[in-house]
Amino acid sequence: MVDPVILYPRPAPTPTVSEQVLYQMKNKLENNLRRELGAEMPVVATAGPKTLRLQVAITGVDISNKGFKPYEILPVALVVKGAILAAGKRTQEVALYQELEVTDAQTGQLLAQVVRKDFGKNLSNRDEALTQEDADKVLQDWAVNLRTALHGLK
């Protein structure tokens, strides 16, 4: 069983991360999970013997300045990068957070719990808006990794 993916806590859209994009990411992850898990085992709608229940939440999207590289700590480079940072032209790192639980669908016994942080495609500056495509690789990797982890449970 794959429960609908949720956004938790309720997302607060920003100019960089719209509510529409958050829901597109949620839907994309849910479709990826159903496709990947369906290739490995039957995905059912009701609990039964030997049935797992998967509950997944996207718990955060964080966009922040990309960290300095070691060579940027040199005095001249630091001044130049500081000016770029102040102007809002610094590359923005996109971090996505996920929590998931796998339980026995009949008993509710917790079998696995995972918290993940992965990085999407960087944005070129603080004014660039996040798109669902910027997170596609992470959303696909999450589904593939879960399929791989559950492979031995068939």
Side-chain angles (χ1 to χ4, degrees):
M1 293 178 59
V2 178
D3 285 2
V5 173
I6 63 170
L7 298 170
Y8 183 84
R10 182 166 171 81
T14 67
T16 310
V17 184
S18 71
E19 187 170 15
Q20 177 183 0
V21 167
L22 291 167
Y23 280 95
Q24 287 172 344
M25 289 172 31
K26 175 190 108 47
N27 293 335
K28 179 75 170 194
L29 177 57
E30 189 171 325
N31 291 336
N32 289 350
L33 288 167
R34 289 184 185 283
R35 183 186 64 250
E36 291 297 327
L37 295 176
E40 189 67 34
M41 61 188 65
V43 176
V44 297
T46 58
K50 297 186 178 183
T51 303
L52 300 176
R53 179 180 207 151
L54 176 66
Q55 297 171 295
V56 179
I58 297 174
T59 57
V61 177
D62 182 42
I63 299 177
S64 59
N65 291 322
K66 188 169 181 174
F68 286 113
K69 304 242 184 284
Y71 65 83
E72 294 176 326
I73 305 302
L74 299 172
V76 173
L78 186 60
V79 170
V80 171
K81 289 299 178 182
I84 290 170
L85 181 62
K89 301 302 178 195
R90 183 91 177 152
T91 299
Q92 301 291 291
E93 214 168 45
V94 177
L96 296 127
Y97 299 85
Q98 172 204 45
E99 293 183 24
L100 72 87
E101 286 187 355
V102 179
T103 57
D104 180 300
Q106 284 190 308
T107 67
Q109 178 186 2
L110 181 64
L111 303 172
Q113 205 169 27
V114 178
V115 176
R116 289 191 62 167
K117 173 184 178 182
D118 289 293
F119 294 95
K121 181 180 160 199
N122 289 339
L123 304 180
S124 60
N125 61 60
R126 71 176 176 209
D127 297 323
E128 184 179 353
L130 180 71
T131 67
Q132 182 244 299
E133 291 79 17
D134 296 327
D136 272 351
K137 183 176 181 336
V138 170
L139 300 174
Q140 180 62 29
D141 288 350
W142 284 349
V144 169
N145 291 343
L146 183 61
R147 182 192 76 202
T148 301
L150 295 177
H151 174 76
L153 299 177
K154 297 200 280 190

